[in-house]
Amino acid sequence: MTILFVVQRYGLDIAGGAELHCRLVAEHLAKFYPVEIATTCANDYLTWKNVYAPGTEVVNGIKVHRFAVTRQRPSDFDILAHNVLYGYPTAEQQIQYLDAHGPFCPSLIEYLKKNSQFDRYVLFSYRYWTTWHALHCVGKNAVLVPTAELDRTLHLDIYKKAFHKPMAIAYNSIEERRNINQISNNFLVPGLTVGVGLPETKTPLSDHENYDALNIPDKYFIYIGRIEEAKGCCNLITDYLAYHQNTNNPLALVLMGKQHISLPNHPGIFYLGIQPDHVKMSLLSQAEALIMPSKYESLSMVLLEAWKSSRPVVCNAHCDVLTGQCKRSGGGLYYRNTEEFIEALVLISSRPDLGVMLGQQGLAYYRKHYDWSVIIDKYHCLLEGSGDNV
Amino acid sequence: MADDWQDIEFGSEIDVSEIMEIIRERIAQKRKEGIYTDEAIAEITESRIMQFAEEAEIDSVLLEKLRSPDHSWNINPSYIIATHRSGVKAKVIILIKKLVRPFIRLYTDHIVGRQAQINQYFAHLIHNLVREITRHQIDNDALKAKLERLEREQEFLEQRLRTFESMTMPEDKSTDQN
């Protein structure tokens, strides 16, 4: 069985969750099947500017076919998106939104139409132009990995219909599956709640000098990911400042990731920028807890990384996926407002025994559900067209 | 506002829902006791405003603007002329829009300007109202808690009084019998 993955961006330097998810699954499935990738030449999900050369290259032993994006995202996309997502858009306006959202890459779809040698397709992230068109082109042989957050895009009719197209769906969480099933009414499409495992990390930070050079305190909470408003980071800063002001001996907040918003110059906040994986995992394993303020997540790989490191998490309770994961695993607390945020942080920092127990529960959950053998077995089922229909 | 958690005991297996319940009970208790500074009241006000906005499902970009100290959220006749089209078509459309705009603004500017003033006034008014209501609710909760405490004290004193009375009663009875 030959498999072609279709994804909006692909490469070792692509930091996005869904893209990493795709690469990890492709690399693991490549041990069992011939696997190839069809993707764009873009590496920026906002502009879709062509950065990689079109053509075929090999990434970590997998053949990657790249196609140029022919239309970059328009400057007035936000206005168009607002009108479509918050109004009553016609089908034509929704297609116009999809075209503007991108990555607009007709040559990739032409490639799918002309190359029928693939037995199965794995399509990543429902909201992208490439995925939507691939679903309409090769849907009956495709496994869709929606990576869908519960936002307004999910309610657009063009997407609701698209969820009926694939032969099977690999959901990231029980909540994602429930949301998609209820909104699109695609109960008859076979599916499994799969998720994703984590990459093998290199040796944890052994060079102590490196750690010292980061110049952060011994005890801290950590946030890892894109530092932007959409990920809830503005609220995280506000909540943290309230925690700092209202607590005796508050711990520091370490932020790691690409910065898209301005950060206050505050003695408790430490921004480390983008760090290599082994530094990230090392700092995560030494943190009091990982904080995840995002309201829109379909899985959150960094949550799994925290549990793999036996660390507890503190999540935004407004995200049903994160709350569900915390409740099922027993690996973290979830806050609805600033007061609960403060109490959760005080509780974890003042009771290290609780942090250890939550972390252990998280680790057990991770091993049970996100070990690669479990994930790949589920993909075998889906690729053979089976899943548990609701 | 926050204190430590040394008095809580956890079992070998932890149910995070139970911990969240304890956290919420503690917060409710603190609210009842009125342990709030001006900063805490400001925070609660802000979180309430956010909650209202989330319930109304306001666009997050607009919400962020509404929370910012400037008035960039307000309507403004000076919009940016743009189009999602590209190439010559786009240039023509933008040119036409630029030519037409001064005539439209001649009729709309004063209306938009007045509406912007009204929006600003109401936003200011509503924000302050939420803050005042929050403050009164917190004061009300604190007064209720005080009243309950006074009632308990009164009950205790009445019990004490009855006890003293009952202690003195046997003596009176014996005097009567004699």
Side-chain angles (χ1 to χ4, degrees), chain A residues 186-246:
Chain A
N186 71 336
F187 294 96
L188 293 176
V189 179
L192 283 175
T193 304
V194 184
V196 64
L198 294 174
E200 291 299 319
T201 37
K202 294 171 200 164
T203 20
L205 202 57
S206 53
D207 184 1
H208 214 76
E209 277 178 34
N210 276 349
Y211 181 70
D212 289 343
L214 295 171
N215 199 21
I216 55 171
D218 291 341
K219 288 191 160 199
Y220 54 87
F221 295 104
I222 195 165
Y223 166 81
I224 299 171
R226 288 199 302 271
I227 301 168
E228 61 181 6
E229 201 262 330
K231 288 282 177 192
C233 291
C234 294
N235 288 339
L236 170 64
I237 299 298
T238 313
D239 288 341
Y240 175 76
L241 294 178
Y243 157 78
H244 200 276
Q245 196 171 14
N246 290 287

Short mmCIF file of all heavy atoms in Angstrom, two decimals, chain A residues 186-246:
data_model
loop_
_atom_site.label_atom_id
_atom_site.label_comp_id
_atom_site.label_asym_id
_atom_site.label_seq_id
_atom_site.Cartn_x
_atom_site.Cartn_y
_atom_site.Cartn_z
N ASN A 186 -21.46 14.01 10.56
CA ASN A 186 -20.77 12.99 9.74
C ASN A 186 -20.60 11.68 10.52
O ASN A 186 -19.54 11.04 10.44
CB ASN A 186 -19.40 13.52 9.28
CG ASN A 186 -18.41 13.61 10.42
OD1 ASN A 186 -18.81 13.71 11.59
ND2 ASN A 186 -17.13 13.58 10.11
N PHE A 187 -21.61 11.31 11.27
CA PHE A 187 -21.51 10.13 12.14
C PHE A 187 -21.18 8.84 11.37
O PHE A 187 -20.63 7.91 11.95
CB PHE A 187 -22.83 9.94 12.90
CG PHE A 187 -23.12 11.05 13.87
CD1 PHE A 187 -23.94 12.11 13.51
CD2 PHE A 187 -22.56 11.05 15.14
CE1 PHE A 187 -24.20 13.14 14.40
CE2 PHE A 187 -22.81 12.08 16.04
CZ PHE A 187 -23.63 13.12 15.66
N LEU A 188 -21.54 8.81 10.09
CA LEU A 188 -21.33 7.56 9.34
C LEU A 188 -19.91 7.39 8.82
O LEU A 188 -19.54 6.30 8.38
CB LEU A 188 -22.32 7.49 8.17
CG LEU A 188 -23.79 7.36 8.58
CD1 LEU A 188 -24.68 7.39 7.35
CD2 LEU A 188 -24.02 6.08 9.37
N VAL A 189 -19.13 8.45 8.87
CA VAL A 189 -17.74 8.32 8.40
C VAL A 189 -16.93 7.61 9.49
O VAL A 189 -16.89 8.09 10.63
CB VAL A 189 -17.13 9.71 8.10
CG1 VAL A 189 -15.68 9.59 7.64
CG2 VAL A 189 -17.96 10.44 7.06
N PRO A 190 -16.27 6.49 9.16
CA PRO A 190 -15.51 5.79 10.19
C PRO A 190 -14.40 6.67 10.77
O PRO A 190 -13.82 7.48 10.05
CB PRO A 190 -14.88 4.60 9.44
CG PRO A 190 -15.66 4.47 8.19
CD PRO A 190 -16.17 5.83 7.85
N GLY A 191 -14.16 6.51 12.04
CA GLY A 191 -13.12 7.33 12.67
C GLY A 191 -12.57 6.70 13.92
O GLY A 191 -13.18 5.78 14.48
N LEU A 192 -11.42 7.18 14.33
CA LEU A 192 -10.82 6.74 15.59
C LEU A 192 -10.19 7.95 16.26
O LEU A 192 -9.69 8.85 15.57
CB LEU A 192 -9.72 5.70 15.34
CG LEU A 192 -10.12 4.26 15.01
CD1 LEU A 192 -8.88 3.45 14.68
CD2 LEU A 192 -10.88 3.62 16.16
N THR A 193 -10.21 7.97 17.58
CA THR A 193 -9.49 9.02 18.29
C THR A 193 -8.04 8.55 18.41
O THR A 193 -7.76 7.57 19.10
CB THR A 193 -10.11 9.26 19.68
OG1 THR A 193 -11.49 9.56 19.49
CG2 THR A 193 -9.43 10.41 20.39
N VAL A 194 -7.17 9.24 17.70
CA VAL A 194 -5.78 8.75 17.60
C VAL A 194 -4.80 9.66 18.33
O VAL A 194 -4.14 9.23 19.28
CB VAL A 194 -5.36 8.66 16.11
CG1 VAL A 194 -3.98 8.05 15.99
CG2 VAL A 194 -6.37 7.82 15.32
N GLY A 195 -4.69 10.91 17.91
CA GLY A 195 -3.67 11.80 18.48
C GLY A 195 -2.33 11.55 17.83
O GLY A 195 -2.25 11.08 16.70
N VAL A 196 -1.28 11.82 18.57
CA VAL A 196 0.06 11.67 18.00
C VAL A 196 1.05 11.40 19.13
O VAL A 196 0.84 11.84 20.26
CB VAL A 196 0.47 12.93 17.20
CG1 VAL A 196 0.59 14.16 18.08
CG2 VAL A 196 1.75 12.70 16.44
N GLY A 197 2.11 10.65 18.81
CA GLY A 197 3.18 10.45 19.78
C GLY A 197 4.15 11.62 19.72
O GLY A 197 3.91 12.60 19.03
N LEU A 198 5.24 11.50 20.42
CA LEU A 198 6.22 12.59 20.44
C LEU A 198 7.52 12.16 19.80
O LEU A 198 7.83 10.97 19.77
CB LEU A 198 6.47 13.03 21.89
CG LEU A 198 5.27 13.67 22.58
CD1 LEU A 198 5.57 13.92 24.04
CD2 LEU A 198 4.87 14.96 21.90
N PRO A 199 8.30 13.12 19.31
CA PRO A 199 9.59 12.74 18.72
C PRO A 199 10.57 12.30 19.81
O PRO A 199 10.44 12.69 20.97
CB PRO A 199 10.07 14.04 18.07
CG PRO A 199 9.34 15.12 18.76
CD PRO A 199 8.05 14.55 19.24
N GLU A 200 11.51 11.46 19.39
CA GLU A 200 12.57 11.07 20.32
C GLU A 200 13.43 12.30 20.58
O GLU A 200 13.91 12.92 19.64
CB GLU A 200 13.43 9.97 19.70
CG GLU A 200 12.71 8.64 19.55
CD GLU A 200 12.24 8.06 20.88
OE1 GLU A 200 13.02 8.15 21.86
OE2 GLU A 200 11.12 7.55 20.94
N THR A 201 13.60 12.65 21.85
CA THR A 201 14.44 13.82 22.12
C THR A 201 15.87 13.37 22.37
O THR A 201 16.11 12.28 22.86
CB THR A 201 13.95 14.59 23.37
OG1 THR A 201 13.51 13.65 24.31
CG2 THR A 201 12.88 15.56 23.01
N LYS A 202 16.77 14.26 21.99
CA LYS A 202 18.18 13.97 22.25
C LYS A 202 18.42 14.03 23.76
O LYS A 202 17.52 14.39 24.52
CB LYS A 202 19.05 15.02 21.54
CG LYS A 202 18.95 14.95 20.04
CD LYS A 202 19.66 16.15 19.45
CE LYS A 202 19.20 16.39 18.03
NZ LYS A 202 19.56 17.70 17.55
N THR A 203 19.61 13.70 24.18
CA THR A 203 19.93 13.71 25.61
C THR A 203 19.52 15.03 26.25
O THR A 203 19.76 16.09 25.66
CB THR A 203 21.45 13.53 25.83
OG1 THR A 203 22.11 13.86 24.62
CG2 THR A 203 21.79 12.17 26.32
N PRO A 204 18.91 14.96 27.43
CA PRO A 204 18.55 16.20 28.09
C PRO A 204 19.78 17.08 28.34
O PRO A 204 20.90 16.58 28.30
CB PRO A 204 17.94 15.74 29.42
CG PRO A 204 17.66 14.30 29.25
CD PRO A 204 18.55 13.78 28.19
N LEU A 205 19.50 18.33 28.62
CA LEU A 205 20.59 19.30 28.79
C LEU A 205 21.60 18.82 29.82
O LEU A 205 21.31 18.78 31.02
CB LEU A 205 19.96 20.63 29.23
CG LEU A 205 20.75 21.88 28.98
CD1 LEU A 205 21.08 22.02 27.53
CD2 LEU A 205 19.93 23.06 29.45
N SER A 206 22.78 18.42 29.37
CA SER A 206 23.78 17.94 30.32
C SER A 206 24.79 19.04 30.63
O SER A 206 25.33 19.12 31.72
CB SER A 206 24.50 16.72 29.76
OG SER A 206 25.01 17.05 28.49
N ASP A 207 24.98 19.91 29.66
CA ASP A 207 25.95 20.97 29.86
C ASP A 207 25.33 22.04 30.76
O ASP A 207 24.48 22.82 30.34
CB ASP A 207 26.31 21.57 28.49
CG ASP A 207 27.38 22.63 28.60
OD1 ASP A 207 27.86 22.89 29.71
OD2 ASP A 207 27.71 23.19 27.55
N HIS A 208 25.76 22.04 32.02
CA HIS A 208 25.12 22.93 32.99
C HIS A 208 25.35 24.40 32.66
O HIS A 208 24.53 25.24 32.99
CB HIS A 208 25.62 22.60 34.39
CG HIS A 208 24.56 22.81 35.42
ND1 HIS A 208 23.52 21.92 35.60
CD2 HIS A 208 24.34 23.82 36.27
CE1 HIS A 208 22.72 22.38 36.53
NE2 HIS A 208 23.19 23.53 36.97
N GLU A 209 26.43 24.66 31.97
CA GLU A 209 26.74 26.05 31.62
C GLU A 209 25.64 26.64 30.73
O GLU A 209 25.26 27.78 30.88
CB GLU A 209 28.06 26.12 30.88
CG GLU A 209 29.25 26.12 31.82
CD GLU A 209 30.56 26.12 31.04
OE1 GLU A 209 30.62 26.72 29.97
OE2 GLU A 209 31.50 25.49 31.52
N ASN A 210 25.16 25.81 29.83
CA ASN A 210 24.10 26.26 28.94
C ASN A 210 22.88 26.70 29.73
O ASN A 210 22.27 27.71 29.45
CB ASN A 210 23.68 25.14 27.98
CG ASN A 210 24.61 25.09 26.79
OD1 ASN A 210 25.39 26.00 26.59
ND2 ASN A 210 24.52 24.02 26.03
N TYR A 211 22.54 25.87 30.71
CA TYR A 211 21.36 26.15 31.53
C TYR A 211 21.56 27.44 32.32
O TYR A 211 20.68 28.28 32.39
CB TYR A 211 21.10 24.96 32.45
CG TYR A 211 19.89 25.13 33.31
CD1 TYR A 211 18.62 25.08 32.75
CD2 TYR A 211 20.01 25.35 34.68
CE1 TYR A 211 17.50 25.25 33.53
CE2 TYR A 211 18.90 25.51 35.47
CZ TYR A 211 17.65 25.46 34.90
OH TYR A 211 16.55 25.64 35.68
N ASP A 212 22.77 27.58 32.89
CA ASP A 212 23.08 28.80 33.66
C ASP A 212 23.02 30.04 32.77
O ASP A 212 22.59 31.09 33.20
CB ASP A 212 24.46 28.68 34.30
CG ASP A 212 24.45 27.66 35.44
OD1 ASP A 212 23.34 27.32 35.91
OD2 ASP A 212 25.53 27.18 35.82
N ALA A 213 23.46 29.85 31.51
CA ALA A 213 23.49 31.00 30.60
C ALA A 213 22.09 31.54 30.33
O ALA A 213 21.93 32.71 29.97
CB ALA A 213 24.15 30.59 29.30
N LEU A 214 21.09 30.72 30.51
CA LEU A 214 19.73 31.18 30.27
C LEU A 214 19.28 32.18 31.34
O LEU A 214 18.32 32.92 31.15
CB LEU A 214 18.76 29.99 30.23
CG LEU A 214 18.99 29.01 29.08
CD1 LEU A 214 18.14 27.78 29.24
CD2 LEU A 214 18.70 29.67 27.74
N ASN A 215 19.96 32.12 32.49
CA ASN A 215 19.73 33.11 33.54
C ASN A 215 18.28 33.16 34.02
O ASN A 215 17.66 34.22 34.05
CB ASN A 215 20.17 34.49 33.02
CG ASN A 215 20.40 35.45 34.16
OD1 ASN A 215 20.62 35.02 35.29
ND2 ASN A 215 20.32 36.74 33.87
N ILE A 216 17.76 32.00 34.36
CA ILE A 216 16.39 31.96 34.90
C ILE A 216 16.43 31.39 36.32
O ILE A 216 17.37 30.67 36.67
CB ILE A 216 15.46 31.10 34.01
CG1 ILE A 216 16.03 29.70 33.79
CG2 ILE A 216 15.18 31.77 32.69
CD1 ILE A 216 15.08 28.75 33.11
N PRO A 217 15.43 31.70 37.15
CA PRO A 217 15.45 31.20 38.53
C PRO A 217 15.28 29.68 38.60
O PRO A 217 14.91 29.04 37.61
CB PRO A 217 14.26 31.91 39.18
CG PRO A 217 13.63 32.72 38.16
CD PRO A 217 14.26 32.52 36.86
N ASP A 218 15.51 29.11 39.78
CA ASP A 218 15.41 27.65 39.96
C ASP A 218 13.97 27.17 39.81
O ASP A 218 13.71 26.10 39.29
CB ASP A 218 15.92 27.24 41.34
CG ASP A 218 17.43 27.45 41.42
OD1 ASP A 218 18.05 27.54 40.35
OD2 ASP A 218 17.96 27.56 42.55
N LYS A 219 13.06 27.96 40.35
CA LYS A 219 11.65 27.53 40.31
C LYS A 219 10.86 28.45 39.38
O LYS A 219 10.94 29.68 39.52
CB LYS A 219 11.05 27.58 41.72
CG LYS A 219 11.59 26.49 42.63
CD LYS A 219 10.77 26.44 43.89
CE LYS A 219 10.95 25.09 44.55
NZ LYS A 219 9.88 24.81 45.50
N TYR A 220 10.10 27.84 38.51
CA TYR A 220 9.37 28.66 37.54
C TYR A 220 8.23 27.85 36.93
O TYR A 220 8.22 26.62 36.95
CB TYR A 220 10.31 29.12 36.41
CG TYR A 220 11.05 27.99 35.74
CD1 TYR A 220 10.50 27.28 34.68
CD2 TYR A 220 12.31 27.59 36.21
CE1 TYR A 220 11.18 26.24 34.09
CE2 TYR A 220 12.99 26.53 35.62
CZ TYR A 220 12.42 25.86 34.57
OH TYR A 220 13.07 24.80 33.99
N PHE A 221 7.27 28.58 36.39
CA PHE A 221 6.25 27.99 35.52
C PHE A 221 6.70 28.26 34.09
O PHE A 221 7.42 29.22 33.84
CB PHE A 221 4.88 28.62 35.76
CG PHE A 221 4.35 28.35 37.13
CD1 PHE A 221 4.37 29.33 38.12
CD2 PHE A 221 3.82 27.11 37.45
CE1 PHE A 221 3.89 29.07 39.39
CE2 PHE A 221 3.34 26.84 38.72
CZ PHE A 221 3.38 27.82 39.69
N ILE A 222 6.24 27.41 33.17
CA ILE A 222 6.73 27.60 31.81
C ILE A 222 5.58 27.59 30.80
O ILE A 222 4.57 26.88 31.01
CB ILE A 222 7.78 26.51 31.47
CG1 ILE A 222 8.56 26.87 30.21
CG2 ILE A 222 7.14 25.13 31.31
CD1 ILE A 222 9.84 26.05 30.04
N TYR A 223 5.72 28.42 29.77
CA TYR A 223 4.81 28.36 28.61
C TYR A 223 5.68 28.09 27.39
O TYR A 223 6.70 28.76 27.20
CB TYR A 223 4.03 29.67 28.43
CG TYR A 223 3.36 29.74 27.07
CD1 TYR A 223 2.16 29.08 26.85
CD2 TYR A 223 3.96 30.40 26.00
CE1 TYR A 223 1.56 29.09 25.59
CE2 TYR A 223 3.37 30.41 24.73
CZ TYR A 223 2.18 29.76 24.55
OH TYR A 223 1.60 29.76 23.30
N ILE A 224 5.29 27.13 26.59
CA ILE A 224 6.04 26.82 25.37
C ILE A 224 5.09 26.87 24.17
O ILE A 224 4.03 26.23 24.20
CB ILE A 224 6.69 25.42 25.46
CG1 ILE A 224 7.67 25.38 26.65
CG2 ILE A 224 7.42 25.08 24.17
CD1 ILE A 224 8.21 24.01 26.96
N GLY A 225 5.47 27.62 23.16
CA GLY A 225 4.63 27.71 21.96
C GLY A 225 4.73 29.10 21.37
O GLY A 225 5.52 29.93 21.85
N ARG A 226 3.94 29.34 20.32
CA ARG A 226 3.94 30.67 19.72
C ARG A 226 3.38 31.66 20.75
O ARG A 226 2.32 31.42 21.34
CB ARG A 226 3.06 30.70 18.47
CG ARG A 226 3.65 29.96 17.29
CD ARG A 226 2.99 30.41 15.98
NE ARG A 226 1.55 30.22 15.99
CZ ARG A 226 0.95 29.10 15.59
NH1 ARG A 226 1.66 28.06 15.18
NH2 ARG A 226 -0.36 29.00 15.61
N ILE A 227 4.11 32.77 20.94
CA ILE A 227 3.67 33.75 21.93
C ILE A 227 2.82 34.77 21.19
O ILE A 227 3.33 35.75 20.64
CB ILE A 227 4.88 34.38 22.64
CG1 ILE A 227 5.68 33.26 23.32
CG2 ILE A 227 4.45 35.42 23.66
CD1 ILE A 227 7.03 33.68 23.79
N GLU A 228 1.53 34.51 21.12
CA GLU A 228 0.63 35.37 20.35
C GLU A 228 -0.75 35.41 21.00
O GLU A 228 -1.08 34.56 21.84
CB GLU A 228 0.53 34.88 18.90
CG GLU A 228 -0.04 33.48 18.78
CD GLU A 228 -0.10 32.99 17.33
OE1 GLU A 228 0.39 33.68 16.44
OE2 GLU A 228 -0.67 31.92 17.13
N GLU A 229 -1.53 36.39 20.59
CA GLU A 229 -2.84 36.61 21.19
C GLU A 229 -3.74 35.40 20.97
O GLU A 229 -4.46 34.98 21.87
CB GLU A 229 -3.46 37.87 20.57
CG GLU A 229 -4.56 38.48 21.40
CD GLU A 229 -5.93 38.08 20.94
OE1 GLU A 229 -6.08 37.83 19.74
OE2 GLU A 229 -6.85 38.02 21.78
N ALA A 230 -3.68 34.80 19.76
CA ALA A 230 -4.55 33.67 19.44
C ALA A 230 -4.30 32.47 20.34
O ALA A 230 -5.17 31.62 20.52
CB ALA A 230 -4.35 33.26 17.98
N LYS A 231 -3.11 32.39 20.90
CA LYS A 231 -2.78 31.28 21.81
C LYS A 231 -3.08 31.64 23.26
O LYS A 231 -2.71 30.90 24.18
CB LYS A 231 -1.30 30.91 21.66
CG LYS A 231 -0.98 30.19 20.35
CD LYS A 231 -1.40 28.74 20.42
CE LYS A 231 -1.17 28.02 19.11
NZ LYS A 231 -1.82 26.70 19.06
N GLY A 232 -3.71 32.77 23.48
CA GLY A 232 -4.11 33.16 24.84
C GLY A 232 -2.98 33.80 25.64
O GLY A 232 -3.09 33.92 26.87
N CYS A 233 -1.91 34.23 24.97
CA CYS A 233 -0.75 34.73 25.71
C CYS A 233 -0.99 36.11 26.35
O CYS A 233 -0.41 36.41 27.38
CB CYS A 233 0.48 34.76 24.81
SG CYS A 233 1.02 33.11 24.42
N CYS A 234 -1.85 36.93 25.72
CA CYS A 234 -2.15 38.23 26.33
C CYS A 234 -2.83 38.02 27.68
O CYS A 234 -2.49 38.65 28.68
CB CYS A 234 -3.05 39.07 25.41
SG CYS A 234 -2.24 39.53 23.89
N ASN A 235 -3.78 37.08 27.70
CA ASN A 235 -4.45 36.78 28.96
C ASN A 235 -3.49 36.13 29.95
O ASN A 235 -3.59 36.36 31.16
CB ASN A 235 -5.64 35.84 28.72
CG ASN A 235 -6.77 36.56 28.02
OD1 ASN A 235 -6.84 37.78 28.05
ND2 ASN A 235 -7.65 35.81 27.37
N LEU A 236 -2.58 35.31 29.44
CA LEU A 236 -1.60 34.67 30.32
C LEU A 236 -0.78 35.73 31.05
O LEU A 236 -0.57 35.64 32.27
CB LEU A 236 -0.68 33.74 29.51
CG LEU A 236 0.53 33.20 30.26
CD1 LEU A 236 0.11 32.32 31.43
CD2 LEU A 236 1.45 32.40 29.33
N ILE A 237 -0.34 36.76 30.31
CA ILE A 237 0.47 37.81 30.93
C ILE A 237 -0.36 38.56 31.98
O ILE A 237 0.09 38.79 33.10
CB ILE A 237 0.98 38.82 29.85
CG1 ILE A 237 1.87 38.10 28.82
CG2 ILE A 237 1.72 39.98 30.49
CD1 ILE A 237 3.13 37.46 29.35
N THR A 238 -1.61 38.90 31.63
CA THR A 238 -2.48 39.60 32.58
C THR A 238 -2.68 38.76 33.84
O THR A 238 -2.58 39.25 34.96
CB THR A 238 -3.86 39.87 31.92
OG1 THR A 238 -3.63 40.39 30.62
CG2 THR A 238 -4.68 40.84 32.71
N ASP A 239 -2.98 37.48 33.64
CA ASP A 239 -3.22 36.59 34.79
C ASP A 239 -1.95 36.43 35.62
O ASP A 239 -2.01 36.41 36.85
CB ASP A 239 -3.68 35.20 34.29
CG ASP A 239 -5.10 35.24 33.75
OD1 ASP A 239 -5.82 36.20 34.07
OD2 ASP A 239 -5.48 34.32 33.00
N TYR A 240 -0.82 36.33 34.93
CA TYR A 240 0.43 36.14 35.68
C TYR A 240 0.73 37.38 36.52
O TYR A 240 1.16 37.28 37.67
CB TYR A 240 1.60 35.84 34.74
CG TYR A 240 2.90 35.77 35.51
CD1 TYR A 240 3.20 34.65 36.29
CD2 TYR A 240 3.78 36.85 35.54
CE1 TYR A 240 4.35 34.60 37.06
CE2 TYR A 240 4.93 36.80 36.31
CZ TYR A 240 5.21 35.68 37.05
OH TYR A 240 6.34 35.65 37.83
N LEU A 241 0.51 38.58 35.95
CA LEU A 241 0.78 39.81 36.70
C LEU A 241 -0.12 39.88 37.94
O LEU A 241 0.32 40.30 39.02
CB LEU A 241 0.57 41.05 35.82
CG LEU A 241 1.56 41.18 34.64
CD1 LEU A 241 1.24 42.41 33.80
CD2 LEU A 241 3.00 41.25 35.13
N ALA A 242 -1.37 39.43 37.80
CA ALA A 242 -2.29 39.39 38.95
C ALA A 242 -1.78 38.39 39.99
O ALA A 242 -1.81 38.66 41.19
CB ALA A 242 -3.68 39.01 38.49
N TYR A 243 -1.29 37.25 39.52
CA TYR A 243 -0.73 36.23 40.43
C TYR A 243 0.48 36.80 41.17
O TYR A 243 0.63 36.65 42.38
CB TYR A 243 -0.34 34.99 39.60
CG TYR A 243 0.72 34.11 40.23
CD1 TYR A 243 0.39 33.23 41.25
CD2 TYR A 243 2.05 34.14 39.77
CE1 TYR A 243 1.38 32.41 41.83
CE2 TYR A 243 3.02 33.34 40.33
CZ TYR A 243 2.69 32.48 41.36
OH TYR A 243 3.66 31.68 41.92
N HIS A 244 1.33 37.51 40.43
CA HIS A 244 2.55 38.06 41.00
C HIS A 244 2.22 39.09 42.08
O HIS A 244 2.87 39.16 43.12
CB HIS A 244 3.39 38.70 39.89
CG HIS A 244 4.83 38.87 40.25
ND1 HIS A 244 5.29 39.95 40.96
CD2 HIS A 244 5.91 38.07 40.03
CE1 HIS A 244 6.59 39.82 41.14
NE2 HIS A 244 6.99 38.69 40.59
N GLN A 245 1.19 39.86 41.81
CA GLN A 245 0.83 40.95 42.72
C GLN A 245 0.14 40.43 43.99
O GLN A 245 0.28 41.01 45.06
CB GLN A 245 -0.12 41.90 41.98
CG GLN A 245 -0.26 43.23 42.65
CD GLN A 245 -1.03 44.19 41.76
OE1 GLN A 245 -1.65 43.80 40.79
NE2 GLN A 245 -0.97 45.45 42.09
N ASN A 246 -0.59 39.35 43.85
CA ASN A 246 -1.43 38.89 44.96
C ASN A 246 -0.88 37.68 45.70
O ASN A 246 -1.61 37.03 46.42
CB ASN A 246 -2.83 38.56 44.43
CG ASN A 246 -3.57 39.80 44.01
OD1 ASN A 246 -4.01 40.57 44.84
ND2 ASN A 246 -3.66 40.02 42.71
#
